[in-house]
């Protein structure tokens, strides 16, 4: 079986694919400098190009694919994209990250097309706070999407909450308590400083140590063993609870030594790391029908040993673009 190694011996097995760089919500932390502004769609790979890029990825050793964006469900052909990827030999884990607003009608077709699991972003359980963070989003739509994901068997349903001081940190316990009765994974993610966001980030960043302290006020946290090919979350559970609490620490404790990811942007650039600017452009080769293997090898060799994301160490002007641009 083919293996894709970087210079530091890490095996690349996971490809995050952004299928679109526009979104129907406008969370300020995701589109630095553009919050609440409409976003015009830039060039995006066709379904055929996405499928060919992933077929080659499978040949070089990628086993796990997550579709993201922007908002992947705004693409009209998303069900067909999922269907085609699910047929690719070697891809044994296919998942998707969404804000859930369009999931009510799409969860069941996506599951039928071969989607296995889903992550839904949800930063507030309070409708007016939700509206504020997302610049006008409707909490009801995402909650309906979560229900639809359960009904379609897209389990485990994982909820991503970016925890921000004085914006939603007061809701952490409420999120955590959901795991007591429901088989749901709540993943608390540290707010990362993206390009041009350093001041806002300093104001609202909350380290995982403090998020865990908030969760511990609900009940004792017991560590849960990590699964194979699992992401960077450190998982815990309350005694007797059915669901799981995950903590993701891109800032306070970056997980680069175990990173097995490459990213493909919606316009066809392979990125070795969220925080590295070196990209390999697949589009010319996709358009000319050239073999893509070499491009994956090049991207893997570009992967840095680690990326310290804090503004103090990376310098104020060198932050990455917003997640909406790269694919979160
Ligand atoms: N639209 C989809 C969604 O809302 O999940 C997929 C794309 S979104 C960029 C993917 C994830 O990135 C979301 O969970 C979002 O909260 C997270 N994200 C975006 N900007 C972030 C930041 N500055 N720090 C931490 N997480 C961020």
């Amino acid at each position: 079986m083919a293996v894709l190694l970087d210079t530091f011996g890490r095996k690349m097995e996971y490809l995050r694919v952004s299928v679109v760089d526009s979104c129907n919500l406008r969370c300020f932390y995701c589109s630095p400098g553009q919050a609440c502004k409409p976003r015009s769609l830039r060039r995006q790979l066709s379904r055929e190009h996405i499928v060919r890029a992933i077929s080659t990825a499978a040949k070089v050793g990628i086993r796990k694919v997550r579709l993201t964006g922007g908002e992947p469900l705004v693409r009209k052909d998303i069900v067909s994209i999922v269907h085609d990827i699910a047929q690719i030999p070697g891809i044994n884990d296919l998942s998707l990250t969404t804000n859930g607003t369009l999931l009510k009608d799409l969860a069941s077709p996506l599951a039928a097309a071969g989607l296995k699991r889903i992550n839904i972003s949800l930063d507030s359980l309070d409708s007016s706070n939700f509206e504020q963070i997302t610049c006008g989003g409707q909490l009801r739509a995402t909650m309906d999407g979560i229900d639809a994901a359960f009904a379609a068997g897209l389990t485990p349903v994982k909820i991503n909450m970016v925890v921000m001081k004085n914006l939603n940190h007061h809701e952490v316990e409420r999120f955590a308590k959901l795991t007591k009765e429901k088989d749901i994974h709540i993943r608390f993610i540290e707010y990362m400083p993206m390009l041009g966001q350093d001041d806002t980030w300093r104001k609202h960043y909350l380290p995982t140590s403090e998020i865990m302290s908030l969760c511990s006020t609900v009940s004792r946290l017991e560590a849960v063993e990590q699964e194979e090919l699992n992401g960077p979350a450190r998982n815990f559970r309350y005694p007797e609870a059915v669901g799981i609490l995950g903590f993701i620490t891109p800032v306070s404790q970056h997980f680069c030594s175990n990173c097995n990811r490459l990213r493909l942007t919606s316009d066809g650039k392979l990125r070795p790391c969220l925080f590295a600017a070196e990209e390999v452009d697949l589009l010319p080769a996709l358009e000319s029908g050239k073999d893509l293997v070499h491009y994956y090898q090049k991207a893997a060799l570009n992967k840095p040993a680690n990326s310290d994301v804090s503004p103090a160490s990376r310098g104020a002007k060198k932050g990455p673009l917003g997640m909406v641009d790269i694919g979160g």
Side-chain angles (χ1 to χ4, degrees):
M1 202 184 277
V3 171
L4 185 62
L5 293 176
D6 72 359
T7 355
F8 307 95
R10 291 170 299 194
K11 196 156 78 165
M12 300 297 107
E13 294 188 289
Y14 182 178
L15 185 66
R16 272 205 183 187
V17 180
S18 173
V19 294
V20 62
D21 71 349
S22 64
C23 184
N24 56 347
L25 297 183
R26 309 252 178 272
C27 310
F28 75 90
Y29 59 81
C30 194
S31 341
Q34 303 172 332
C36 299
K37 289 188 197 148
R39 239 180 114 72
S40 54
L41 189 64
R42 283 183 295 172
R43 185 161 195 171
Q44 70 185 29
L45 294 183
S46 66
R47 166 180 155 208
E48 290 72 23
H49 283 169
I50 292 173
V51 174
R52 191 152 89 74
I54 298 175
S55 300
T56 305
K59 283 189 196 132
V60 297
I62 296 292
R63 301 281 158 258
K64 178 171 171 176
V65 168
R66 172 174 295 281
L67 302 180
T68 181
E71 172 48 46
L73 302 192
V74 302
R75 256 191 94 133
K76 298 282 176 258
D77 54 356
I78 189 66
V79 174
S80 308
I81 291 175
V82 165
H83 170 270
D84 292 355
I85 299 169
Q87 312 304 313
I88 299 173
I91 300 299
N92 51 30
D93 187 13
L94 175 57
S95 58
L96 182 145
T97 302
T98 172
N99 60 37
T101 52
L102 302 173
L103 201 52
K104 185 177 173 191
D105 295 329
L106 282 170
S108 170
L110 285 168
L115 189 71
K116 299 277 180 266
R117 300 183 292 108
I118 202 146
N119 285 26
I120 301 170
S121 304
L122 175 66
D123 295 332
S124 176
L125 291 164
D126 171 271
S127 48
S128 68
N129 203 20
F130 182 93
E131 200 176 324
Q132 196 160 357
I133 292 171
T134 58
C135 282
Q138 297 301 305
L139 176 63
R140 187 69 266 154
T142 297
M143 298 310 279
D144 287 348
I146 294 173
D147 290 344
F150 275 104
L154 291 170
T155 50
V157 174
K158 295 186 181 178
I159 304 296
N160 289 349
M161 178 196 194
V162 177
V163 183
M164 294 166 287
K165 190 158 56 183
N166 297 331
L167 290 179
N168 63 357
H169 84 276
H170 58 285
E171 295 193 49
V172 163
E173 292 98 325
R174 193 168 165 205
F175 272 79
K177 281 179 191 161
L178 295 178
T179 65
K180 288 188 145 195
E181 309 294 337
K182 209 168 168 67
D183 187 7
I184 197 165
H185 289 212
I186 304 287
R187 292 143 48 95
F188 299 103
I189 305 175
E190 286 177 344
Y191 172 25
M192 291 186 280
M194 311 307 271
L195 187 64
Q197 274 199 336
D198 294 352
D199 291 342
T200 320
W201 176 78
R202 281 193 190 90
K203 220 159 63 190
H204 297 299
Y205 169 68
L206 196 71
T208 288
S209 53
E210 291 184 39
I211 303 169
M212 287 182 86
S213 299
L214 292 170
C215 291
S216 300
T217 62
V218 175
S219 189
R220 181 165 48 87
L221 290 171
E222 295 174 345
V224 172
E225 258 180 57
Q226 299 292 105
E227 304 151 34
E228 213 198 325
L229 270 183
N230 196 10
R234 283 185 294 138
N235 294 325
F236 294 81
R237 173 181 274 138
Y238 290 132
E240 318 292 331
V242 267
I244 284 182
L245 299 160
F247 298 90
I248 306 187
T249 56
V251 181
S252 68
Q253 201 183 352
H254 57 78
F255 24 79
C256 306
S257 61
N258 299 323
C259 183
N260 61 355
R261 275 179 208 180
L262 295 178
R263 291 171 188 268
L264 180 62
T265 64
S266 58
D267 58 352
K269 311 270 190 337
L270 272 178
R271 266 202 169 225
C273 167
L274 192 56
F275 295 94
E278 295 82 10
E279 294 178 329
V280 175
D281 194 357
L282 281 192
L283 189 60
L286 281 167
E287 284 175 336
S288 67
K290 236 167 108 184
D291 187 58
L292 302 174
V293 167
H294 156 76
Y295 295 85
Y296 279 94
Q297 289 163 339
K298 199 166 162 209
L301 294 179
N302 277 345
K303 198 168 170 73
N306 55 54
S307 305
D308 193 338
V309 307
S310 63
S313 51
R314 66 164 160 72
K317 294 205 179 68
K318 280 178 35 204
L321 300 166
M323 290 286 245
V324 72
D325 295 294
I326 305 169

